[in-house]
Amino acid sequence: MTPTVTQTGTLSTRERILLEASRLFARNGYRGTSTREIAAAVGIRQPSLFHHFPSKQTIMAELIDIDHAEATRVAKREAAASGSPAVRLYRYLVADISFICRCAYDLSSVESVLNDSDFGDKRQRHNELQGARLAIIEEGIDSGEFVKSDPLIAHKVITWILRGDIVDTAGEPQADADDFAHQLASFVLRAVLADPDRVDEIRAGVELEMNQG
Amino acid sequence: MTPTVTQTGTLSTRERILLEASRLFARNGYRGTSTREIAAAVGIRQPSLFHHFPSKQTIMAELIDIDHAEATRVAKREAAASGSPAVRLYRYLVADISFICRCAYDLSSVESVLNDSDFGDKRQRHNELQGARLAIIEEGIDSGEFVKSDPLIAHKVITWILRGDIVDTAGEPQADADDFAHQLASFVLRAVLADPDRVDEIRAGVELEMNQG
DNA sequence: GTCTATAATAGGATAGAC
DNA sequence: GTCTATCCTATTATAGAC
């Protein structure tokens, strides 16, 4: 399984390569990170990397797959879930944000390399995930639960918040990842709901569900 | 002056280097962009770049200065401006977002290189700008105009929205940059205001000011 | 599973002709 | 102001010893 931030003490060399590579890719970009830097961070020599991965590209490809596997899991669950668009959007945000905060790997670089031709085949799944998010927003606007406005604005802002969260809080242990996730989700819901006062009720309902399940 | 998206037809070689470098830095990162790629995009040979800039680093440094010069101008103006925190935050957001949309250069890479030791001296001004923004938010919460919550959450979200806007819409001509800026600013204000219904009144007031000034 | 040595290529920057 | 030619270093990846 994908390691969490609390498990970084007991990683295999392969996992430590993924961890250090993810941090360096986040800081200096995929192209801007050399295999020597990754190896140095892991504590091995540069050619030893190639015993665990056939190329630098496959290290990045595995990080992309880790990110997409979890995002797909959450998106599929909320697509089939019960509840109004607001409740499902709230649950989706909390699940995604707390995964980002808990995952040991810093997945910031994933989205930015999807424009690179080397990873073009990974892009379709990313687009599908974006579409699933937009669909919830459109449903909320159509039903009158969300304020009447361009769904693309809310969709963009949510994308940017998730991206910002990945970049700024990924990979570092967060004091209280759950509370942070709820605060961010509440911020978005306040902006989006036709009746912003419903935020507290939605938050309480989702927290109850999570404590039971 | 810094060129806008509508002026990309009449640029000097020096400005075209800044333009193409900004786009490549945005896509592939500062480290991940070679001087050969920049030269090819401009339509000259690699050594010719060094007639206009003494190094690759000085190209990036100039892009940072362009970004910070405008951000400082806007922040200083709103620090001294009249109006409630909500009105000043709204004006700040609209000014910053429409600058991002109008500037010919894609300034996405600026924030990410500030962690690089090569540009450490530019970082202080960035931190001062962040502080000015946080101060407006804290003032709004203390006065009761904003909803009672952790000011750092709103601050983070605003940072992420501005960053996302830079990354996704910078450098490309926007159909209606002003309307887009107002929609994003309204989204943030709805989430932040104790009385979200005041958004339309604040928007109308700022639009009136802008049409007069 | 990690090492040293090395191949082959791409990187930033300079010199000097035009 | 741009060019060709070139220097030196850094890059990804392989071969083969231990």
Side-chain angles (χ1 to χ4, degrees):
Chain A
M1 255 312 283
T2 310
T4 68
V5 279
T6 55
Q7 299 170 329
T8 49
T10 60
L11 299 182
S12 65
T13 304
R14 197 190 142 84
E15 285 170 328
R16 292 205 298 137
I17 291 168
L18 286 168
L19 176 64
E20 299 299 343
S22 78
R23 291 173 173 169
L24 287 162
F25 291 161
R27 176 161 286 246
N28 299 320
Y30 167 69
R31 289 207 205 184
T33 301
S34 72
T35 53
R36 276 171 215 277
E37 288 175 294
I38 300 169
V42 173
I44 57 178
R45 303 292 177 142
Q46 183 258 355
S48 305
L49 285 181
F50 294 87
H51 176 77
H52 301 276
F53 294 91
S55 67
K56 176 179 156 181
Q57 198 179 140
T58 53
I59 301 176
M60 186 73 243
E62 181 146 337
L63 291 170
I64 296 172
D65 287 340
I66 289 169
D67 183 46
H68 283 183
E70 175 64 15
T72 304
R73 206 181 63 80
V74 174
K76 277 190 181 165
R77 194 185 60 193
E78 291 315 321
S82 63
S84 71
V87 171
R88 282 186 286 140
L89 180 61
Y90 191 97
R91 273 198 300 240
Y92 172 82
L93 289 170
V94 170
D96 212 14
I97 293 165
S98 62
F99 167 67
I100 289 165
C101 294
R102 269 188 246 278
C103 180
Y105 306 136
D106 184 333
L107 299 170
S108 333
S109 58
V110 168
E111 204 197 344
S112 54
V113 296
L114 292 175
N115 293 316
D116 198 312
S117 59
D118 290 352
F119 303 100
D121 54 321
K122 308 278 183 192
R123 208 177 162 179
Q124 194 189 349
R125 189 145 60 132
H126 182 256
N127 291 341
E128 286 167 10
L129 289 167
Q130 297 275 97
R133 219 148 66 196
L134 183 57
I136 300 182
I137 296 166
E138 285 172 340
E139 202 184 320
I141 293 175
D142 290 344
S143 74
E145 191 177 23
F146 293 174
V147 72
K148 271 235 151 3
S149 63
D150 184 351
L152 284 174
I153 296 285
H155 183 254
K156 271 184 195 288
V157 171
I158 290 170
T159 302
W160 297 340
I161 290 174
L162 293 174
R163 186 193 295 168
D165 184 40
I166 289 179
V167 172
D168 286 356
T169 69
E172 291 172 35
Q174 189 79 10
D176 193 338
D178 267 342
D179 184 59
F180 187 66
H182 279 284
Q183 285 192 66
L184 284 177
S186 296
F187 186 99
V188 171
L189 264 287
R190 264 188 72 80
V192 148
L193 279 172
D195 176 8
D197 293 336
R198 286 187 53 223
V199 168
D200 292 337
E201 157 214 327
I202 291 168
R203 173 174 178 156
V206 172
E207 276 179 325
L208 195 68
E209 282 171 20
M210 291 176 74
N211 292 335
Q212 290 175 342
Chain B
M1 256 314 280
T2 309
T4 67
V5 278
T6 55
Q7 299 169 331
T8 49
T10 59
L11 299 182
S12 65
T13 303
R14 198 190 141 83
E15 287 170 326
R16 291 203 300 137
I17 291 169
L18 286 168
L19 177 64
E20 299 298 343
S22 77
R23 291 174 173 170
L24 286 163
F25 291 161
R27 176 161 286 245
N28 299 320
Y30 168 68
R31 289 206 205 184
T33 301
S34 73
T35 54
R36 286 182 167 80
E37 287 175 295
I38 299 170
V42 173
I44 57 179
R45 302 292 176 147
Q46 183 257 358
S48 305
L49 285 181
F50 295 87
H51 176 78
H52 302 275
F53 294 91
S55 67
K56 177 179 156 182
Q57 197 178 142
T58 54
I59 300 176
M60 186 75 242
E62 182 146 335
L63 291 171
I64 296 172
D65 287 341
I66 289 169
D67 183 46
H68 284 183
E70 174 64 14
T72 304
R73 207 181 62 79
V74 174
K76 278 190 178 162
R77 194 186 59 194
E78 290 315 321
S82 64
S84 71
V87 170
R88 281 185 289 139
L89 181 61
Y90 191 97
R91 271 198 300 240
Y92 172 82
L93 289 170
V94 169
D96 212 14
I97 293 164
S98 64
F99 167 68
I100 288 165
C101 294
R102 267 187 247 279
C103 180
Y105 306 136
D106 184 333
L107 299 170
S108 331
S109 58
V110 168
E111 203 196 345
S112 54
V113 296
L114 293 175
N115 293 317
D116 198 312
S117 60
D118 291 351
F119 304 99
D121 55 319
K122 308 278 184 191
R123 209 177 161 181
Q124 195 189 347
R125 189 147 58 133
H126 182 255
N127 290 340
E128 286 167 10
L129 289 168
Q130 296 274 96
R133 218 148 69 195
L134 183 56
I136 301 182
I137 295 166
E138 286 171 338
E139 204 185 318
I141 293 174
D142 290 345
S143 73
E145 191 178 24
F146 293 174
V147 73
K148 270 235 153 2
S149 63
D150 183 352
L152 285 174
I153 295 286
H155 183 255
K156 270 183 195 288
V157 170
I158 290 170
T159 302
W160 296 341
I161 289 174
L162 293 174
R163 185 193 296 167
D165 184 40
I166 290 178
V167 172
D168 285 356
T169 68
E172 291 171 34
Q174 189 80 8
D176 193 337
D178 267 343
D179 184 60
F180 188 65
H182 279 284
Q183 284 192 67
L184 284 176
S186 297
F187 186 99
V188 171
L189 264 288
R190 262 187 74 79
V192 148
L193 280 171
D195 177 8
D197 292 337
R198 286 185 54 222
V199 167
D200 293 337
E201 156 213 328
I202 291 168
R203 174 177 178 154
V206 172
E207 276 178 327
L208 195 67
E209 283 170 23
M210 290 176 76
N211 292 335
Q212 288 173 344

